[in-house]
Amino acid sequence: MQLKGFLIVLSGPSGAGKNTLMNAVFPTIPNLQYSVSVTTRPPRQGEIEGVDYFFRSRDEFDQMIAQDELLEWAEFCENRYGTPRSFVDNAIEDGRTVIMDVDIQGAAQIREQMPDAVFIFLLPPTWDELKQRLLDRGKDPDEAIHWRLEQSYVEMKHIVNYDYFIINDQLDNAAERLRTIINAEWCRVQRVDLDELQQLWKGRKKP
Ligand code: ADP
Ligand code: 5GP
């Protein structure tokens, strides 16, 4: 049975471990696709164009908005971030699970447009641990770390709008929870074409 895919929206404070978690589950979930965002933020050391982000100028980003190429976009800590629409649409049509890392503003826009998307909020075990992870990551200037920590207070209040939460204490545990959610979501009756399901009984015999 060929099912249509669906979208997983992963939000949570910067430094909670969204990218680390996604990298951890990728090798174990067939058919999982990461939606690469566009950003005006400069690349961090080690980030690769087209893999981590599509890095664009402000003008180029604004042109994408004007041409309706973005499914959603938002301004976060003085930079713009957005999701290219065509990739997500095509991957879902092809029956894939698409996962994206977007902030709370982007998640709100997607909630309006794609009600059958799955919304997951990733939490660090404590605020101190979040701060430590941002410091240890060592790839943002001090001011950017400060803004990300401030923003985490605002973001936490929006957890109520999400379907699931995952606490990223031990990475293995968090990865197991994410895999469990994805597997359960594939089993939702709402995602199945019921006519096609009835076909399973086509060859029935009278008892
Ligand atoms: P985000 O994508 O949410 O901004 P990252 O995936 O970049 O966060 O993770 C931030 C930092 O925290 C990285 O240095 C990463 O190695 C570390 N990290 C992520 N998950 C864990 C974990 N479960 N335990 C300890 N450190 C973690
Ligand atoms: P970072 O600069 O740490 O990579 O990301 C900062 C914030 O931007 C994070 O909260 C992340 O979830 C968010 N983000 C990344 N890509 C997108 C996107 O395409 N759209 C939106 N709205 N937020 C994004």
Side-chain angles (χ1 to χ4, degrees):
M1 194 174 350
Q2 172 69 40
L3 298 183
K4 224 174 110 180
F6 59 89
L7 181 62
I8 296 177
V9 177
L10 185 63
S11 301
S14 181
K18 298 180 293 297
N19 284 288
T20 307
L21 176 62
M22 287 189 287
N23 287 334
V25 296
F26 266 113
T28 59
I29 303 184
N31 233 2
L32 184 63
Q33 291 276 314
Y34 177 60
S35 158
V36 180
S37 298
V38 186
T39 184
T40 61
R41 162 168 84 59
R44 292 186 184 121
Q45 196 196 346
E47 283 184 331
I48 299 169
E49 161 72 16
V51 174
D52 298 289
Y53 280 107
F54 297 108
F55 296 98
R56 295 290 179 266
S57 68
R58 188 79 169 216
D59 281 351
E60 288 167 331
F61 193 100
D62 289 348
Q63 208 172 334
M64 292 184 84
I65 299 173
Q67 290 171 352
D68 199 25
E69 289 175 29
L70 299 180
L71 175 62
E72 61 73 38
W73 69 272
E75 186 131 354
F76 180 92
C77 296
E78 299 184 336
N79 288 299
R80 288 188 171 181
Y81 297 81
T83 303
R85 183 193 296 283
S86 58
F87 173 84
V88 173
D89 288 348
N90 293 339
I92 288 178
E93 212 44 56
D94 284 353
R96 282 177 267 168
T97 320
V98 182
I99 190 162
M100 58 166 63
D101 157 10
V102 301
D103 81 324
I104 50 173
Q105 306 168 76
Q109 293 170 49
I110 291 170
R111 210 171 280 119
E112 293 286 311
Q113 299 178 55
M114 304 176 86
D116 68 340
V118 180
F119 294 85
I120 305 178
F121 197 95
L122 187 70
L123 295 151
T126 63
W127 187 85
D128 282 340
E129 175 67 19
L130 178 65
K131 184 175 178 186
Q132 200 54 50
R133 285 183 189 175
L134 283 169
L135 290 170
D136 290 349
R137 184 165 72 184
K139 289 182 182 166
D140 291 303
D142 288 352
E143 192 177 314
I145 290 183
H146 171 80
W147 278 110
R148 280 165 166 72
L149 286 169
E150 284 294 301
Q151 186 62 19
S152 72
Y153 280 107
V154 180
E155 291 168 324
M156 283 295 293
K157 294 196 179 119
H158 288 258
I159 196 167
V160 65
N161 299 320
Y162 287 73
D163 300 312
Y164 299 96
F165 72 92
I166 297 176
I167 297 178
N168 182 17
D169 40 17
Q170 299 297 314
L171 186 59
D172 285 354
N173 293 343
E176 190 51 38
R177 287 177 205 130
L178 179 55
R179 270 191 293 273
T180 304
I181 292 168
I182 293 173
N183 286 335
E185 286 292 333
W186 272 107
C187 300
R188 269 192 192 279
V189 170
Q190 290 94 317
R191 299 197 191 283
V192 189
D193 178 340
L194 291 177
D195 289 339
E196 216 176 309
L197 203 60
Q198 295 293 338
Q199 295 295 312
L200 298 175
W201 264 255
K202 219 171 65 181
R204 75 186 185 282
K205 313 244 173 6
K206 283 205 168 141

